[in-house]
Amino acid sequence: MNCIIIIEMGTAAVRVFAFDLSGNLISSSKGHYPTFHEQPDHSEQDPEQMFITMLYILKNLLIEKIYPKKYTVTCICFGSSMHSLLAVDKDGIPLGNAITWADNRGKKEAADLKKSTLGEEIYKATGTPIHPMSSLIKIAWMKNHDPEKFKLAKKFMPIKTYIIQQLTGACVIDYSIASATGLMNIHDFTWDRAALEFAGITPEELPDLHPVFYSGVSLKKEYQRVLKLSPSVKILIGSSDGCLATLGAGVWENSMATITIEDSGAFRIIGDKIIEDPKQQIFNYLLTEKHIITGGPTSNGGVIFNWFAKQFGDFQKAFDIDQSMEMLIEEAAGVEVGSGGLIFLPFLHGERAPIWNPNSRGCYFGVNIRHERKHFIRATIEGILYEMYSIGRTLENHRHIETLSINGSFASIPFCTQIIADIFNKPVSTLSHADSIGKGAYLLSATEMGIYPSLEEASKTVTMHQTYLPNAENHQIYAQYFKVFESLITKVADEFDAISDLQERYSQ
């Protein structure tokens, strides 16, 4: 029996999946790695630790779960989070940690560029909003603030390219990941001249561009031996987590959209045309040359509730974050809709869509003497979902959307899914499979292998598990609170800048 292995390098963990050729999940495993925040706006990860964790999880899955069941690996496909950046020297050795999507150190470079006509030109060419998340801004920051490292760097690459290079020796990047760097022209599939000039680099300092179906690389012999894999195993460079999650959610009709909430979050649609937004509030990333994923990301998804659980969860017994989060959600379910008038702005990581303000910060508003811990729990969840709603409303300026699907960690929590249905006032369906990124990577691999004639046909095999219908009365209440939420964000914009400045000056 043959199987396909999916390796997904997420923000907090690597996940490895094994699917049979019919798309049934055989087994999966996960390993975590830390993120370092030396300053409030900095988010970094150790690339060597990420590679070793991936290798450990992959090897254990193969040895303990796949080979004993007599499966033969025929294909390995990669997925990963977007916007990471790693500088390496002439020998391919990292010149420090990888900078993640959540890093906002380049906010001045981004603000200056966004105000210029060049910024507008680059946004139209690349589809990536001008923001510190992008490789474009990270490289520009390094040029201005760390010139020694910038001079030593011979290649700039995302973490997925580094992992593939370690395994195969090839320095390659797929269109999907590349189109989220702010450096690729999504109209002609080349590195964009104007963006590269702004960053101060040449195409030779970036990985080689390839479509997501590219499989022209092979495992190094030492990894063939260590992992007991055949030299003929197909290595598919794959796509980004966002594009794979959209494919794995089966969102192929114009009236459908999908919400993903993992550590970060996003609201996405798929189409065959780039949607131009004069306000530069949405992204356009390539799944393939003909399929565009359009949407808006939040930097403050599941990672915010995870933060709340770590700070305020009940850890009197053994540390168990998952158990603590379940207890918190149970407590929040006993609170009325709207959290008794308590509103949470969830911007602990700054924010991307739709406000694209790296200086925004978290805030509880409306606290009164009757509020208890349970109100803060529910307000935290509602704040995360109000933010998703604000992104969804932005996308609805460009396309009529009737139904939603949800994937990621919040999809497994019925309490959260019902709140989404009520806030959006739309039916929300969960998927019959637990992980849409892994499923999307399987569908991509199976299409490349000829199991499906096209991605569109592959997406039709995605089935829904349960649909949550909106409660009209709850929607009316949420609509009133959302007006306050939306108004607050605008009114405290100056205070966001002020407190961010103070945090930079006085935080240890």
Side-chain angles (χ1 to χ4, degrees), residues 261 326 329 406-417 430-431 433-434 465 468:
I261 303 178
E326 286 179 13
I329 288 168
I406 179 170
N407 57 82
S409 57
F410 275 36
S412 62
I413 308 172
F415 171 69
C416 295
T417 307
T430 57
L431 304 171
H433 48 273
H465 171 61
Y468 294 77

Side-chain angles (χ1 to χ4, degrees), residues 82-83 113-114 117-131 133-137 139 174-199 201 206 209 243 273-277 280-288 291-295 356:
M82 294 175 274
H83 314 303
L113 178 60
K114 192 169 184 175
T117 54
L118 176 61
E120 183 178 355
E121 177 189 338
I122 290 176
Y123 171 71
K124 287 181 178 178
T126 67
T128 305
I130 305 299
H131 186 269
M133 70 176 184
S134 71
S135 299
L136 167 74
I137 299 299
I139 295 172
D174 64 82
Y175 286 171
S176 169
I177 290 284
S179 64
T181 63
L183 295 161
M184 177 186 173
N185 189 307
I186 58 173
H187 303 273
D188 61 16
F189 318 122
T190 63
W191 294 119
D192 185 69
R193 179 192 55 77
L196 266 59
E197 284 184 5
F198 174 80
I201 60 174
L206 294 168
L209 282 163
C243 288
K273 292 183 174 59
I274 294 168
I275 298 176
E276 293 193 358
D277 177 22
Q280 302 184 32
Q281 292 180 315
I282 60 175
F283 61 69
N284 287 283
Y285 299 148
L286 303 179
L287 172 57
T288 73
H291 301 110
I292 315 297
I293 306 294
T294 302
W356 295 97

Side-chain angles (χ1 to χ4, degrees), residues 308-327:
F308 186 95
K310 285 181 178 176
Q311 306 307 319
F312 307 110
D314 183 1
F315 293 121
Q316 294 177 5
K317 300 177 181 178
F319 180 84
D320 187 333
I321 185 68
D322 291 335
Q323 186 183 41
S324 177
M325 291 174 72
E326 286 179 13
M327 293 170 63

Side-chain angles (χ1 to χ4, degrees), residues 216-430:
V217 298
S218 305
L219 280 180
K220 292 177 180 176
K221 288 185 179 178
E222 58 262 40
Y223 293 116
Q224 294 174 16
R225 184 176 63 255
V226 167
L227 299 170
K228 302 183 186 304
L229 291 168
S230 165
S232 64
V233 171
K234 180 174 289 188
I235 305 297
L236 193 62
I237 63 172
S239 181
S240 68
D241 56 357
C243 288
L244 291 173
T246 309
L247 175 63
V251 180
W252 212 268
E253 295 180 16
N254 279 337
S255 60
M256 295 180 65
T258 188
I259 293 173
T260 302
I261 303 178
E262 289 284 1
D263 292 321
S264 58
F267 188 100
R268 303 184 187 94
I269 55 179
I270 189 168
D272 57 5
K273 292 183 174 59
I274 294 168
I275 298 176
E276 293 193 358
D277 177 22
K279 295 182 179 179
Q280 302 184 32
Q281 292 180 315
I282 60 175
F283 61 69
N284 287 283
Y285 299 148
L286 303 179
L287 172 57
T288 73
E289 297 91 318
K290 297 179 180 177
H291 301 110
I292 315 297
I293 306 294
T294 302
T298 173
S299 300
N300 301 286
V303 68
I304 302 305
F305 193 58
N306 191 290
W307 162 82
F308 186 95
K310 285 181 178 176
Q311 306 307 319
F312 307 110
D314 183 1
F315 293 121
Q316 294 177 5
K317 300 177 181 178
F319 180 84
D320 187 333
I321 185 68
D322 291 335
Q323 186 183 41
S324 177
M325 291 174 72
E326 286 179 13
M327 293 170 63
L328 292 172
I329 288 168
E330 186 177 342
E331 200 171 336
V335 178
E336 65 269 33
V337 170
S339 304
L342 185 62
I343 293 175
F344 176 54
L345 307 186
F347 309 132
L348 273 63
H349 276 305
E351 189 51 295
R352 292 184 283 177
I355 60 175
W356 295 97
N357 182 0
N359 286 334
S360 56
R361 292 293 185 266
C363 174
Y364 288 96
F365 179 78
V367 184
N368 67 45
I369 198 69
R370 298 182 61 188
H371 285 137
E372 304 172 25
R373 186 178 85 144
K374 60 185 181 182
H375 295 96
F376 284 84
I377 302 170
R378 180 158 186 144
T380 302
I381 295 169
E382 290 177 343
I384 295 167
L385 300 179
Y386 285 146
E387 176 58 12
M388 292 304 309
Y389 184 48
S390 69
I391 299 170
R393 283 161 51 98
T394 303
L395 264 292
E396 286 197 280
N397 290 330
H398 303 275
R399 183 179 293 178
H400 175 67
I401 297 168
E402 295 179 357
T403 61
L404 304 172
S405 72
I406 179 170
N407 57 82
S409 57
F410 275 36
S412 62
I413 308 172
F415 171 69
C416 295
T417 307
Q418 184 61 56
I419 293 177
I420 294 172
D422 292 347
I423 291 178
F424 278 83
N425 200 28
K426 298 181 190 298
V428 179
S429 298
T430 57

